[in-house]
Amino acid sequence: MDDPRVTPARPEVAAKYLEGKVKAARFVEGEVFEVSEAIAPVRRAPALDAEQLTQALKGERVTIYDRNGEGFAWGQLGSDGYVGWLPDSALARPSASPTHKVTALTTLAFPGPSIKLPPVMSLPMGTRVTIAREDATFAVTSEGHHLPRQHLGPLDARAPDFVAVAERFVGAPYLWGGKSAFGIDCSGLVQISLASAGIGCPRDSDMQRDGLGRTLSASESKHLQRGDLLFWKGHVAIVRDDDTIVHANAHHMATVIENTSEAIARIKAAGSDVVAIKRL
């Protein structure tokens, strides 16, 4: 059965490329937009109080297949294929192709070449931007926003250690469906960290469990390595070393570094055992 999280199909409408594979009243080609706000929520239903499934970051492409006429558009993210409802106000016609990405945890976009000016927005790690020119210590986007040059890297920049990227999020608040230092969940932390190292990664922890790396045997699991991934039902953590993991979790309501055996015992007491250990 096709996973509805990454299959743009509802009884009313579906993507044209699914014609003959799914049932829908009509099939549409879809239209590509880009996210124009710093962070756009992707929701389960077209309502402000609907569950946030994930987030789309500024510069990301989204294929829109339907609109409800009340401020919401339904489509599929270009990055990981996730499907959901986005606010129409967060979408714009695609501009020039992105040239750079934000490599800092967050950066500020200034309206001119001075850090004394009030910033126009905060942009999280992974945001894709189009740089038109440089102005002293700033890189200037096609919109005229001035970003600190040291907070940017080329699109193909690769962090050498994705675990070190995850460690930079320590203290970030936990947010269901979150993908930034303003709020992040367990699988979002894994996805953003791996993406910064140039490794493609699906969005949710069960997708990551099924799609990343190889499963360690019982004997291998006794000797965890930095970068191994621990999976529970509905949760994932990143191994730092022999004794600790880093993970975003609702128990601490934050991204934390925690003793591995203590975390396993705590989560087991809450009703869940480790279901897999994967090595990339």
Side-chain angles (χ1 to χ4, degrees):
M1 188 177 115
D2 290 320
D3 188 332
R5 293 173 293 180
V6 290
T7 307
R10 307 188 344 255
E12 303 85 0
V13 62
K16 185 77 172 174
Y17 72 84
L18 294 172
E19 194 164 7
K21 300 176 184 175
V22 301
K23 290 183 177 180
R26 60 190 174 96
F27 293 87
V28 297
E29 286 288 353
E31 191 175 355
V32 176
F33 288 81
E34 75 175 21
V35 176
S36 57
E37 293 184 355
I39 300 173
V42 180
R43 301 190 185 278
R44 185 179 297 279
L48 292 175
D49 59 354
E51 177 190 348
Q52 176 176 261
L53 302 171
T54 186
Q55 293 175 326
L57 305 184
K58 182 174 170 63
E60 181 163 1
R61 298 301 200 261
V62 186
T63 303
I64 296 301
Y65 296 102
D66 192 22
R67 284 188 157 80
N68 75 341
E70 297 176 1
F72 284 91
W74 180 77
Q76 184 169 34
L77 303 187
S79 60
D80 57 19
Y82 221 98
V83 174
W85 291 91
L86 294 89
D88 242 332
S89 59
L91 301 173
R93 300 284 176 189
S95 55
S97 296
T99 59
H100 292 71
K101 63 182 179 181
V102 175
T103 52
L105 207 55
T106 60
T107 192
L108 297 171
F110 296 94
S114 170
I115 59 171
K116 297 180 181 178
L117 294 170
V120 291
M121 64 173 60
S122 302
L123 299 174
M125 178 185 287
T127 301
R128 298 159 74 87
V129 295
T130 305
I131 298 304
R133 61 188 175 87
E134 293 190 349
D135 185 351
T137 60
F138 294 96
V140 186
T141 70
S142 54
E143 305 158 286
H145 295 162
H146 287 60
L147 309 177
R149 276 167 44 187
Q150 61 265 50
H151 288 176
L152 301 175
L155 289 179
D156 61 356
R158 301 283 183 267
D161 177 8
F162 87 92
V163 186
V165 176
E167 290 167 343
R168 291 165 63 188
F169 283 85
V170 167
Y174 180 84
L175 175 66
W176 183 267
K179 275 174 58 169
S180 81
F182 304 115
I184 198 162
D185 65 13
C186 65
S187 53
L189 180 68
V190 171
Q191 187 185 49
I192 288 289
S193 301
L194 284 174
S196 71
I199 301 169
C201 175
R203 177 60 179 93
D204 292 344
S205 62
D206 62 320
M207 299 172 173
Q208 294 169 356
R209 181 192 68 221
D210 295 342
L212 294 175
R214 65 177 182 87
T215 303
L216 297 189
S217 66
S219 59
E220 288 177 307
S221 299
K222 295 175 184 174
H223 305 285
L224 298 179
Q225 296 178 7
R226 184 174 176 88
D228 288 347
L229 299 175
L230 294 180
F231 290 94
W232 293 260
K233 181 175 171 56
H235 188 60
V236 59
I238 304 168
V239 174
R240 291 181 67 242
D241 53 32
D242 290 344
D243 302 311
T244 60
I245 55 175
V246 56
H247 61 149
N249 66 91
H251 176 78
H252 296 95
M253 285 307 293
T255 299
V256 299
I257 291 170
E258 190 173 5
N259 178 273
T260 306
S261 55
E262 290 176 6
I264 290 173
R266 174 176 62 73
I267 298 170
K268 182 181 176 69
S272 183
D273 275 313
V274 173
V275 295
I277 303 174
K278 304 295 287 280
R279 183 163 292 165
L280 302 178

